[in-house]
Amino acid sequence: MTQTEQEGMAPALEISAWINTTPLILSELRGKVVIIHAFQMLCPGCVTHGIPQASAIHELYKNEDVQVIGLHSVFEHHKVMTKEALSVFIGEYGIRFPIAIDRPSEPSSIPTTMALYQMRGTPTLIMLDKQGYLRLNHFGHMSDLQVGSCIGRLLAENNEALPL
Amino acid sequence: MTQTEQEGMAPALEISAWINTTPLILSELRGKVVIIHAFQMLCPGCVTHGIPQASAIHELYKNEDVQVIGLHSVFEHHKVMTKEALSVFIGEYGIRFPIAIDRPSEPSSIPTTMALYQMRGTPTLIMLDKQGYLRLNHFGHMSDLQVGSCIGRLLAENNEALPL
Amino acid sequence: MTQTEQEGMAPALEISAWINTTPLILSELRGKVVIIHAFQMLCPGCVTHGIPQASAIHELYKNEDVQVIGLHSVFEHHKVMTKEALSVFIGEYGIRFPIAIDRPSEPSSIPTTMALYQMRGTPTLIMLDKQGYLRLNHFGHMSDLQVGSCIGRLLAENNEALPL
Amino acid sequence: MTQTEQEGMAPALEISAWINTTPLILSELRGKVVIIHAFQMLCPGCVTHGIPQASAIHELYKNEDVQVIGLHSVFEHHKVMTKEALSVFIGEYGIRFPIAIDRPSEPSSIPTTMALYQMRGTPTLIMLDKQGYLRLNHFGHMSDLQVGSCIGRLLAENNEALPL
């Protein structure tokens, strides 16, 4: 599995607006596995693979201790990937999971959370364990089998054996 | 997740022949998660979804504590799904993981292992944990995300936190 | 095949800007089969099926008498599906065939060419024969097999038998 | 388009048995476009792509002048790809179009029709025009767009303009 593992607690998300939810705070999600899908609405790999995968995770685990968050981390073409455009995209694509807009960081083109997590581009898949530690920070596509396996491992940590 | 959970240790496999491997004994696989994909070579759902999924599991986990076994459980059309036909199938489809032929149980059309595990048909996906307990016995298709998640949970049991 | 056939010559396209090409005039394309794929850049069915299909047609027939034109017919969310946004979309998705922007028709939300052709939404697939007659005006998805068959018929009209 | 074009009338099919139909004679199919999909039931490319494509052609054109024929041309593993095995395969996969078994030609492993048409393997796609001339003899995969286009051209020959 190609991935970047980083030590320590995941930094707080720096968010300028939330869609589909009231604001979520990582430190209040202890006890849940947190899946952050960083994307751009005009990134083909995100639209074709990443968003459908994040939606599938959201649907599969919505009654379990998993929180999916879409993070709109715009680092190029800022004028056309606005909040208004993102809202249309979310509506047209029928996305139901919480979406956070990564806080711009002028004069840098890289938004704040993207910089904090040292992401290399979009799509990036980030996973936090139930204690809030950063456990996966992966740039590019991962297969559903790999993603499911990572989530399963994180769900099983610090638990008695679970029903599958 | 639609699944059948059954209590207790998984029964030993009753096998008339092995392909791609020397004989495997479940009781000697303690410490490994065991994935059994029961199929028939002329079952469309097995050929289209189940076999490729089993191959992907085999490839993804071949350096980890996971053992994939294909179980050819012929319960219909016995005359044409012979060992010789199965060998051609395995060769033509390039299947590399171990394949076991479920022992016939005349006069019943249901082979021995299929009956022991009370399978309802093919494809059936069976998972054993590292202690050899039967943890999943699922008839029909499961998504890669679900399958990966189950394997991840079983890998994480009785371990310190693993790298993902 | 669900389709709307309309009599007569295809109306001229009313276009405010062209991308990937100098302006194309339907009346100057006599002798070619013309395929117009009307889309919106934030329409999921267009992005997932229509645009890849139009690209495949463009690639398959680029040395033959077929002209593919993408027509950006924005009838909703005008503020975010601007020319600037479309240019980013075309660049990110690597679209190589000619794209025309349907001329806005204020105060109507329906752009001019969309109204002229009485389109019901996006994606819409339009085909003109070599004489410029409107032969197909189809709202929604068509399979590659159907689309290929329509193009093949139009290519064969008024010709001796062609090599396939 | 990679293809082999051969001159002249298509040879008569040499068939040992028919399934899903009474016997079909090429010379009695004048006026129809004939699509012959040569396959083996244990050829992965045939099962994954060729058979579904032939079924889609059969469904799309069943009310038009197109006759789809599946030709089981066994040139290897003859002992396991028997008529009985093929019948099971057809039943399990729900194949509805006419299937012909290519006549064995001992001592050659190549069956008679396969030799007559100089096929290089399976899958092979063969097309005859309405006069019975051999117009396409293609070894390997062709996209639905290409196949549809070829059929459309053959349907349009010697006709006034057809509705699409």
Side-chain angles (χ1 to χ4, degrees):
Chain A
M1 205 180 301
T2 58
Q3 64 192 52
T4 303
E5 275 174 76
Q6 296 169 316
E7 295 295 323
M9 298 294 288
L13 303 178
E14 295 281 341
I15 302 303
S16 59
W18 289 87
I19 301 174
N20 285 345
T21 183
T22 54
L24 298 173
I25 311 293
L26 290 188
S27 61
E28 295 176 357
L29 294 171
R30 298 289 180 269
K32 290 194 176 191
V33 173
V34 179
I35 311 296
I36 301 172
H37 172 65
F39 72 104
Q40 293 184 108
M41 59 173 280
L42 295 183
C43 150
C46 303
V47 173
T48 308
H49 297 293
I51 295 282
Q53 189 178 66
S55 289
I57 297 169
H58 175 71
E59 286 303 312
L60 183 59
Y61 293 106
K62 63 186 169 189
N63 298 320
E64 292 194 71
D65 290 334
V66 175
Q67 177 66 57
V68 176
I69 298 172
L71 178 67
H72 197 230
S73 291
V74 178
F75 63 93
E76 57 188 347
H77 312 304
H78 299 75
K79 285 187 184 170
V80 303
M81 290 194 273
T82 59
K83 181 182 176 185
E84 187 174 5
L86 177 65
S87 294
V88 170
F89 174 80
I90 290 169
E92 292 295 315
Y93 278 78
I95 297 171
R96 298 182 184 181
F97 55 85
I99 302 289
I101 299 179
D102 199 350
R103 186 184 302 283
S105 171
E106 296 173 354
S108 169
S109 64
I110 309 292
T112 310
T113 309
M114 189 175 194
L116 278 171
Y117 279 77
Q118 300 177 288
M119 293 182 213
R120 296 163 50 204
T122 56
T124 287
L125 191 61
I126 289 169
M127 295 193 191
L128 279 59
D129 66 20
K130 298 179 199 167
Q131 281 77 41
Y133 286 94
L134 182 58
R135 298 290 298 280
L136 182 84
N137 189 348
H138 179 87
F139 172 52
H141 182 65
M142 282 178 75
S143 75
D144 282 358
L145 199 61
Q146 288 175 299
V147 169
S149 177
C150 293
I151 296 172
R153 291 184 195 202
L154 293 177
L155 279 170
E157 286 178 3
N158 310 110
N159 273 303
E160 303 300 314
L162 290 168
L164 299 186
Chain B
M1 205 180 302
T2 56
Q3 64 193 50
T4 305
E5 275 173 75
Q6 295 169 316
E7 296 295 324
M9 298 295 287
L13 303 178
E14 296 282 342
I15 303 303
S16 59
W18 289 87
I19 301 174
N20 286 344
T21 183
T22 55
L24 298 172
I25 310 294
L26 289 188
S27 61
E28 296 176 358
L29 294 171
R30 297 291 180 266
K32 291 194 175 191
V33 173
V34 179
I35 311 296
I36 301 171
H37 172 64
F39 73 105
Q40 293 183 109
M41 59 173 279
L42 294 183
C43 149
C46 303
V47 173
T48 309
H49 297 293
I51 295 283
Q53 189 178 66
S55 290
I57 297 169
H58 175 71
E59 286 302 312
L60 183 60
Y61 293 105
K62 63 186 167 188
N63 297 320
E64 291 194 72
D65 290 334
V66 174
Q67 178 65 58
V68 175
I69 298 171
L71 178 67
H72 198 230
S73 291
V74 178
F75 63 93
E76 56 188 348
H77 311 302
H78 299 75
K79 284 186 185 169
V80 303
M81 291 194 273
T82 60
K83 180 182 176 186
E84 187 175 5
L86 177 65
S87 295
V88 171
F89 174 81
I90 290 169
E92 292 295 315
Y93 279 78
I95 297 171
R96 298 182 184 180
F97 55 84
I99 302 289
I101 299 179
D102 199 349
R103 187 185 302 281
S105 171
E106 296 173 353
S108 169
S109 64
I110 310 293
T112 311
T113 310
M114 189 174 192
L116 277 171
Y117 279 77
Q118 299 178 288
M119 295 184 212
R120 295 163 50 204
T122 57
T124 287
L125 191 62
I126 288 169
M127 295 194 191
L128 279 60
D129 65 21
K130 299 178 198 170
Q131 281 77 41
Y133 286 95
L134 183 57
R135 298 291 297 280
L136 183 83
N137 189 347
H138 179 86
F139 173 53
H141 182 63
M142 281 178 74
S143 75
D144 281 358
L145 199 61
Q146 287 176 300
V147 169
S149 177
C150 293
I151 296 172
R153 291 184 195 201
L154 293 178
L155 279 171
E157 286 179 5
N158 309 111
N159 273 302
E160 303 301 312
L162 290 169
L164 298 187
Chain C
M1 204 181 301
T2 57
Q3 63 193 51
T4 303
E5 276 173 75
Q6 296 169 317
E7 295 294 323
M9 298 296 286
L13 302 178
E14 295 282 341
I15 303 303
S16 59
W18 289 87
I19 301 174
N20 286 345
T21 183
T22 54
L24 298 173
I25 311 293
L26 290 188
S27 61
E28 296 176 357
L29 294 171
R30 297 292 180 268
K32 290 194 176 191
V33 172
V34 178
I35 311 296
I36 301 171
H37 171 64
F39 73 105
Q40 293 183 107
M41 59 172 280
L42 295 183
C43 148
C46 303
V47 173
T48 308
H49 297 293
I51 295 282
Q53 189 177 66
S55 288
I57 297 169
H58 175 70
E59 286 303 312
L60 183 60
Y61 293 105
K62 63 187 169 189
N63 298 319
E64 291 193 71
D65 290 335
V66 174
Q67 177 66 57
V68 175
I69 298 171
L71 179 66
H72 197 230
S73 291
V74 178
F75 64 93
E76 56 188 345
H77 312 302
H78 300 75
K79 285 186 185 170
V80 303
M81 289 194 273
T82 60
K83 181 182 176 185
E84 188 176 5
L86 177 66
S87 294
V88 171
F89 174 81
I90 290 169
E92 292 295 315
Y93 278 78
I95 297 171
R96 298 182 185 180
F97 54 84
I99 301 289
I101 299 178
D102 199 348
R103 185 186 303 282
S105 172
E106 296 171 355
S108 169
S109 64
I110 309 293
T112 310
T113 310
M114 189 175 193
L116 278 171
Y117 280 77
Q118 300 178 288
M119 294 182 212
R120 295 163 51 203
T122 57
T124 287
L125 191 61
I126 289 169
M127 295 193 191
L128 279 61
D129 65 20
K130 298 178 197 170
Q131 281 77 43
Y133 286 95
L134 182 58
R135 298 290 296 280
L136 183 83
N137 189 347
H138 178 86
F139 173 52
H141 181 65
M142 281 179 74
S143 75
D144 281 358
L145 200 60
Q146 287 176 301
V147 168
S149 176
C150 293
I151 296 172
R153 291 184 195 201
L154 293 177
L155 278 170
E157 287 178 4
N158 309 110
N159 273 303
E160 301 302 311
L162 289 169
L164 299 186
Chain D
M1 206 181 300
T2 57
Q3 65 193 53
T4 303
E5 275 173 76
Q6 295 170 315
E7 296 295 322
M9 297 295 288
L13 303 178
E14 295 282 341
I15 303 303
S16 60
W18 289 87
I19 301 174
N20 285 345
T21 183
T22 54
L24 298 172
I25 311 293
L26 290 188
S27 61
E28 295 176 358
L29 294 171
R30 298 290 180 267
K32 291 194 175 190
V33 173
V34 179
I35 311 296
I36 300 172
H37 172 64
F39 73 105
Q40 293 182 109
M41 58 172 281
L42 295 182
C43 149
C46 303
V47 173
T48 308
H49 297 293
I51 295 282
Q53 189 177 64
S55 289
I57 297 168
H58 175 71
E59 285 302 313
L60 183 60
Y61 293 105
K62 63 186 168 190
N63 297 320
E64 292 193 72
D65 289 335
V66 175
Q67 177 66 57
V68 176
I69 297 172
L71 178 67
H72 197 229
S73 291
V74 178
F75 63 93
E76 56 187 349
H77 312 301
H78 299 75
K79 285 187 186 171
V80 303
M81 291 194 273
T82 59
K83 181 183 177 186
E84 187 175 5
L86 177 65
S87 294
V88 171
F89 174 81
I90 290 169
E92 293 294 314
Y93 279 78
I95 297 171
R96 298 182 184 180
F97 54 85
I99 302 288
I101 299 178
D102 198 348
R103 185 185 302 283
S105 170
E106 296 172 355
S108 168
S109 63
I110 310 292
T112 311
T113 310
M114 188 175 193
L116 278 172
Y117 280 77
Q118 299 177 286
M119 295 183 211
R120 296 163 51 204
T122 58
T124 287
L125 191 62
I126 289 169
M127 295 194 191
L128 278 62
D129 66 20
K130 298 179 198 169
Q131 282 78 41
Y133 286 95
L134 182 58
R135 299 290 297 281
L136 183 84
N137 189 347
H138 179 86
F139 172 53
H141 182 64
M142 282 178 74
S143 75
D144 281 358
L145 199 60
Q146 288 175 301
V147 168
S149 177
C150 293
I151 297 172
R153 291 183 196 203
L154 293 177
L155 278 171
E157 287 178 4
N158 309 112
N159 273 302
E160 303 301 312
L162 289 168
L164 298 186

